[in-house]
Amino acid sequence: MSDHRELAGQRALVTGGTRGIGAAVAARLREAGATVLATARTRPDGVAPDEPFVAADIATAEGSAVVANAVTEQLGGIDIIVHVVGGSSAPAGGFAVLDDGEWQRALDQNLFPAVRLDRALLPKMLDQGSGVIIHITSIQRQLPLPESTIAYAAAKAALANYSKGLSKEVSPKGIRVVRVSPGWVETEAAVRLVERLATADGTDYETAQKGLMNSLGGIPIGRPTKPREVADLVAFLVSPRAGTITGTEYVIDGGTVPIA
């Protein structure tokens, strides 16, 4: 099945589009012919001068407004939004170490960027009667890790709930809204984490990787997901081949979640 240039003429926004899953998604959509505007807090060295890009911290209302304005200025409209940005910087120690500030940061990083940008950009999609929004959630919304990421997991659960509600409102108006829920993805940051664990334990990369997989309850397929695999799924979901898919969630985790 070929998808060569099937997104030609489509204008896409990818948040967090310079690293990890976001970079893979941006590259994959460009391969399919889309014009992609990527966002990050700073412009990395690898971004070509003529490549659409906007530097902004979309964990803030001001940064989200900057990105929404850039969509109009650089793309002239929008057909695809892929919300990838997110993460957690909370300390380990369970619920007791998470003060109001940590909870607010989790929401600012993982929920509000999507809410704000959707609110700003959806009117353009509604005017044209078409568009696709992808919200990258996480299997942690179902399998939270209470030692260190409970606030992140709760924020991702909120994002998933919001996404489902939004789909019910706008799908009848021609806008598809879909969730993609990755498990452990072997991004550059994940590789560095495993390397640190290996060094700390005095072992090798493969042993440390297996230990981390076991801490997640195991990955039946035997390895983490690659960023490109998530990007391939996103590219399919935003394409005309997925024209009747909306309001649902696709889990891509190698079988980590034990039930559907």
Side-chain angles (χ1 to χ4, degrees), residues 95-112:
F95 81 95
V97 303
L98 299 179
D99 59 17
D100 284 1
E102 292 293 348
W103 279 97
Q104 189 62 55
R105 274 188 286 276
L107 294 170
D108 286 341
Q109 289 180 296
N110 297 286
L111 174 64
F112 288 131

Side-chain angles (χ1 to χ4, degrees), residues 49-217:
D50 60 343
E51 194 171 285
F53 179 82
V54 55
D57 181 3
I58 61 172
T60 68
E62 296 78 10
S64 294
V66 168
V67 171
N69 289 335
V71 167
T72 299
E73 294 170 1
Q74 297 190 43
L75 299 182
I78 192 70
D79 303 290
I80 298 165
I81 306 172
V82 186
H83 294 288
V84 181
V85 75
S88 174
S89 58
F95 81 95
V97 303
L98 299 179
D99 59 17
D100 284 1
E102 292 293 348
W103 279 97
Q104 189 62 55
R105 274 188 286 276
L107 294 170
D108 286 341
Q109 289 180 296
N110 297 286
L111 174 64
F112 288 131
V115 171
R116 289 168 177 148
L117 284 170
D118 290 347
R119 186 169 58 213
L121 298 176
L122 256 171
K124 301 177 188 297
M125 290 182 168
L126 292 169
D127 286 345
Q128 65 198 22
S130 64
V132 186
I133 298 172
I134 305 291
H135 295 115
I136 304 295
T137 58
S138 170
I139 63 169
Q140 285 200 45
R141 78 169 187 84
Q142 298 168 271
L143 296 174
L145 301 176
E147 171 63 20
S148 59
T149 59
I150 191 169
Y152 165 83
K156 285 296 191 181
L159 176 63
N161 189 276
Y162 155 74
S163 181
K164 179 62 177 178
L166 184 67
S167 74
K168 288 177 173 286
E169 180 177 357
V170 301
S171 292
K173 302 172 184 177
I175 317 303
R176 295 193 294 113
V177 183
V178 186
R179 289 156 281 149
V180 171
S181 180
W184 181 27
V185 180
E186 198 170 33
T187 61
E188 299 95 324
V191 169
R192 290 194 297 271
L193 171 61
V194 175
E195 290 172 343
R196 289 197 301 271
L197 292 172
T199 299
D201 293 341
T203 186
D204 58 20
Y205 185 92
E206 289 72 21
T207 301
Q209 184 187 69
K210 184 176 180 180
L212 186 51
M213 288 192 293
N214 289 339
S215 74
L216 299 172

